Amino acid sequence: MPLRTIIQIDVIGDPRTATVAGSESLLTTLREELALPGAKNACEQGECGSCSVLLDDTLVCSCLVMAADCDGTTVRTIEGVAEDGVLTAVQQAMHVAGAVQCGFCTPGIVIAASDLFAHDPHPSPDTIREALAGNICRCTGYGAIMRALEQVAGGSS
Amino acid sequence: MTTTSTERRVKGGVGKSIRRADGVPKLTGNCAYASAPFHDRMLWGATLRSPYAKARIVRLDVTPALAMAGVLAVLTQVDVPG
């Protein structure tokens, strides 16, 4: 049997305990142990960004983080972005702009964009592109995503 | 002067900017994809594929696989005719 470790993490405001295998990724723990499938599993090698979460307020690909290293951390997933069911400005703008197609990249885009706007409320288009460089949309819906985020960047906040 | 404008009376979707019905679930991580559901005591499946591009199955002994701990079933072409 592989080594298993008990970790305690704070996920979107809820203290959670999980028993994780030695090599298990944080993404696997979130999706399969904690029943939070919002972060998506696509490339499993940190290329696509669909598994993006905030780990202690740092944007990470949860597929590249070992769950056993997350004991005592705070993890924010897409499930915790909209508070009380109210869409954030990023989510609302993406909804209106038609920036959601198949939706597989969407949680990662929302997390990455939210992280950007938390640090820079009015980023330039180039800064937005740079912030999303790690998020691949295979519907290639980048135009609508950019329009949505540029609108957020230009708005008052 | 009374004029009657020919207003567009669009009641369907043509010409309108429609919000996708599944937009909000996808934006909040609550859209149920086929890969998402996990249930207690859910069974996992695996496929054993032939290492040969073209070959005939002469013999298939599933006994060792069935004897492994945790294996509940092994399905072969006998179970899936056609």
Side-chain angles (χ1 to χ4, degrees):
Chain A
M1 287 290 285
L3 282 175
R4 298 186 81 81
T5 309
I6 296 173
I7 61 168
Q8 296 191 343
I9 52 181
D10 190 290
V11 188
I12 54 174
D14 285 328
R16 302 289 295 268
T17 301
T19 305
V20 302
S23 60
E24 185 172 314
S25 72
L26 174 60
L27 177 64
T28 299
T29 304
L30 290 172
R31 290 178 58 85
E32 300 183 17
E33 303 270 332
L34 302 179
L36 292 167
K40 298 292 179 279
N41 183 5
C43 77
E44 292 191 340
Q45 49 189 323
E47 295 285 345
C48 74
S50 63
C51 66
S52 299
V53 301
L54 293 176
L55 176 63
D56 282 339
D57 288 328
T58 299
L59 183 65
V60 297
C61 286
S62 60
C63 74
L64 294 183
V65 177
M66 287 175 68
D69 285 338
C70 296
D71 193 25
T73 61
T74 298
V75 180
R76 192 170 187 216
T77 72
I78 185 66
E79 286 92 342
V81 171
E83 291 184 14
D84 298 325
V86 179
L87 299 184
T88 63
V90 167
Q91 290 169 317
Q92 183 64 29
M94 287 180 65
H95 189 36
V96 172
V100 179
Q101 294 187 54
C102 88
F104 221 73
C105 75
T106 305
I109 300 269
V110 170
I111 290 283
S114 302
D115 184 56
L116 166 67
F117 287 114
H119 297 99
D120 181 358
H122 304 291
S124 69
D126 280 351
T127 303
I128 296 173
R129 286 193 185 88
E130 182 68 30
L132 294 184
N135 295 83
I136 293 174
C137 168
R138 285 301 74 177
C139 303
T140 65
Y142 298 109
I145 293 168
M146 279 301 297
R147 281 193 292 279
L149 300 182
E150 285 179 32
Q151 189 253 316
V152 175
S156 58
S157 61
Chain B
M1 191 173 75
T2 304
T3 59
T4 305
S5 65
T6 52
E7 288 182 0
R8 290 187 192 175
R9 294 184 183 174
V10 181
K11 292 190 175 176
V14 177
K16 284 207 166 186
S17 181
I18 304 292
R19 308 274 179 271
R20 327 179 44 104
D22 58 1
V24 172
K26 286 175 173 175
L27 280 157
T28 54
N30 295 317
C31 184
Y33 286 81
S35 62
F38 289 92
H39 302 283
D40 288 342
R41 303 179 68 240
M42 186 168 82
L43 298 181
W44 292 84
T47 305
L48 176 66
R49 298 191 185 279
S50 170
Y52 308 105
K54 184 180 181 185
R56 185 183 300 112
I57 299 173
V58 177
R59 191 176 63 88
L60 206 54
D61 184 6
V62 300
T63 315
L66 278 170
M68 291 174 71
V71 173
L72 271 78
V74 178
L75 305 180
T76 70
Q77 78 282 3
V78 176
D79 304 286
V80 189

